[in-house]
């Protein structure tokens, strides 16, 4: 067991007492929820501000993509900085910087300046996300594998549910400028909370064993890293394309009203978060964990087949549930494996963040392009091919183990 837990590093020793672990977990979950809320809220604010400026669809897309592109560009440098830096100081400094930027944003004169500022925001958020995921991976062996999904589950609750609802409420009652000031205040609160919760170094070195794997070659030599990277890329690729175009299918094929079609995403999101927050012990504590992992990937394949072959309301709802469950179990197992692997957590966190963003963007673009050529239902059938190939590859590798 020493090899598995060594990734926790020396930092975790200070949090060994149960009451201190509980205090850290409560603070970290609060930090994660508020962080997710700011991301979800700011997506609403940026979109509404773009419309307020009277931008074209293309200009609005540039504003939106500026933040995403900057987050992708900033992830790898963020991993290198955090591998050597102080997460507590960096997180607090970046959060205060974001607070200042959002005070400036509503006074910018044109959409070009908004896009530039959103690019700066994306660079800052990349470092914050990598900092939080790094600390969580380092702490997870102490917290217990049942908590493996708590970070991502809480973050998604904030981004997909609490954040957009808060953004709409604040804009309705305080106006657009007031919304940006509320967001700035939230970033200032995050700076204070992050200073209290996060450690002053990541503890990415294994005790008594020298440095953990951090270079590309070192990391890719580890089967656990190769498997995790593969299935995380496939998950992001699939989730983004299904998230956008299953709603469109429901409207065009099933003739659902727009407000009803959103329930497909809601059902998938609830299933995903339920697995992350409630099934950690059941999945990761099972002696059949590898079989559950493989079954989760089959559930994703089944969901894609339902979306492609059976355009009915029950089939689409079942597909949404299966997709949420499959992606949730996939995330649980991947998080647990990386947390216990002898790897540099900051570097791997940066890689996974970058891969997720890139695969998500590529998945949506590819689905849109292929959808125009072969039809959206056939796109979902095509998406089963890489999943089936990856599943077979994983099963063969499992069979080779003694």
């Amino acid at each position: 067991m020493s090899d598995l837990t060594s990734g926790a590093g020396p930092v975790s020793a200070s949090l060994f007492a149960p009451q201190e672990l509980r205090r850290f977990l409560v603070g970290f979950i609060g930090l994660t929820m508020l962080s997710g809320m700011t991301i979800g809220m700011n997506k609403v604010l940026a979109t509404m501000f773009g419309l307020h400026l009277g931008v074209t669809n293309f200009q609005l897309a540039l504003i939106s993509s500026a933040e995403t592109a900057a987050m992708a560009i900033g992830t790898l440098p963020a991993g290198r900085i955090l591998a050597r830096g102080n997460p507590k100081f960096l997180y607090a400094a970046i959060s205060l910087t974001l607070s200042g930027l959002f005070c400036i944003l509503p006074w910018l004169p044109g959409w070009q300046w908004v896009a530039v500022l959103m690019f700066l925001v994306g660079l800052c958020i990349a470092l914050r996300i990598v900092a939080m995921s790094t600390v969580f991976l380092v702490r997870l062996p102490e917290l217990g594998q049942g908590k493996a999904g708590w970070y991502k589950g809480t973050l998604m609750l904030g981004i997909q549910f609490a954040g957009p609802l808060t953004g709409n409420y604040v804009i309705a009652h305080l106006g657009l400028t007031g919304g940006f000031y509320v967001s700035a205040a939230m970033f200032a609160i995050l700076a204070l909370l992050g200073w209290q919760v996060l450690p002053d170094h990541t503890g990415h070195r294994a005790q008594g064993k020298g440095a953990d794997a951090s270079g590309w070659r070192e990391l890719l030599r580890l089967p656990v890293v190769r498997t995790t990277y593969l299935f995380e890329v496939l998950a992001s690729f699939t989730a983004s394309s299904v998230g956008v175009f299953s709603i469109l299918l429901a409207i065009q094929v099933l003739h659902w009203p727009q407000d009803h079609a959103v329930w497909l995403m809601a059902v998938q999101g609830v299933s995903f978060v339920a697995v992350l927050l409630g099934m950690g012990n059941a999945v990761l504590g099972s002696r059949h964990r590898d079989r559950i992992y493989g079954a989760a990937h089959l559930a994703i394949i089944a969901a894609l087949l339902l979306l492609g072959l059976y355009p009915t309301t029950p089939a689409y709802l079942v597909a949404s549930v299966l997709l949420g469950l499959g992606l949730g179990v996939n995330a649980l197992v991947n998080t647990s494996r990386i947390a216990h692997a002898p790897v540099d957590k900051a570097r791997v966190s940066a890689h996974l963040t970058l891969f997720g963003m890139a695969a998500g963007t590529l998945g949506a673009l590819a689905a849109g392009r292929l959808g125009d050529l072969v039809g959206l239902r056939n796109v979902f059938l095509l998406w089963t091919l890489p999943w089936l190939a990856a599943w077979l590859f994983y099963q063969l590798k499992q069979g080779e183990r003694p």
Side-chain angles (χ1 to χ4, degrees), residues 4-19:
L4 291 177
T5 57
S6 62
V11 165
S12 55
S14 63
L15 293 178
F16 184 78
Q19 65 271 21

Side-chain angles (χ1 to χ4, degrees), residues 159-176:
I159 293 174
Q160 293 188 348
F161 296 99
L165 290 176
T166 302
N168 285 332
Y169 181 84
V170 168
I171 291 171
H173 289 81
L174 300 179
L176 201 53

Side-chain angles (χ1 to χ4, degrees), residues 108-338:
L108 295 176
W111 72 267
Q112 299 94 333
W113 292 104
V114 175
V116 170
L117 190 138
M118 292 308 294
F119 185 86
L120 296 177
V121 167
L123 292 176
C124 292
I125 289 178
L127 198 147
R128 292 170 73 248
I129 289 176
V130 174
M132 292 183 67
S133 62
T134 299
V135 170
F136 184 74
L137 287 172
V138 169
R139 291 282 190 252
L140 185 57
E142 295 174 87
L143 297 172
Q145 59 187 5
K147 308 295 192 301
W150 283 32
Y151 167 65
K152 185 174 285 189
T154 308
L155 189 67
M156 295 309 295
L157 273 177
I159 293 174
Q160 293 188 348
F161 296 99
L165 290 176
T166 302
N168 285 332
Y169 181 84
V170 168
I171 291 171
H173 289 81
L174 300 179
L176 201 53
T177 302
F180 283 110
Y181 288 153
V182 169
S183 182
M186 290 172 68
F187 280 120
I189 293 171
L190 282 168
L192 295 174
L193 186 57
W195 187 266
Q196 294 295 320
V197 172
L198 298 179
D200 55 12
H201 50 102
T202 57
H204 66 277
R205 291 184 180 274
Q207 294 176 341
K209 289 184 177 288
D212 290 333
S214 59
W216 279 105
R217 291 183 179 180
E218 291 177 293
L219 288 170
L220 293 178
R221 272 198 287 263
L222 299 174
V224 64
V225 172
R226 294 197 301 269
T227 301
T228 299
Y229 283 8
L230 171 63
F231 283 112
E232 282 295 305
V233 165
L234 283 175
S236 297
F237 185 88
T238 303
S240 66
S241 56
V242 173
V244 173
F245 294 107
S246 63
I247 295 176
L248 187 59
L249 270 183
I251 295 172
Q252 293 181 346
V253 178
L254 301 181
H255 307 293
W256 287 10
Q258 284 187 340
D259 55 340
H260 290 179
V262 176
W263 276 101
L264 282 180
M265 277 300 298
V267 168
Q268 178 189 327
V270 168
S271 301
F272 180 71
V273 171
V275 171
L276 293 177
L277 296 182
M279 294 182 63
N281 281 324
V283 172
L284 300 176
S286 172
R287 59 179 179 174
H288 303 297
R289 186 174 76 166
D290 287 336
R291 293 183 181 179
I292 297 173
Y293 190 55
H297 300 151
L298 289 179
I300 295 171
I301 294 172
L304 293 171
L305 289 173
L306 286 173
L307 290 171
L309 297 176
Y310 301 100
T312 65
T313 294
Y316 276 26
L317 289 174
V318 170
S320 295
V321 172
L322 287 174
L323 193 63
L325 294 176
L327 292 174
V329 171
N330 181 72
L332 272 179
V333 176
N334 290 339
T335 301
S336 178
R337 284 178 167 172
I338 289 297

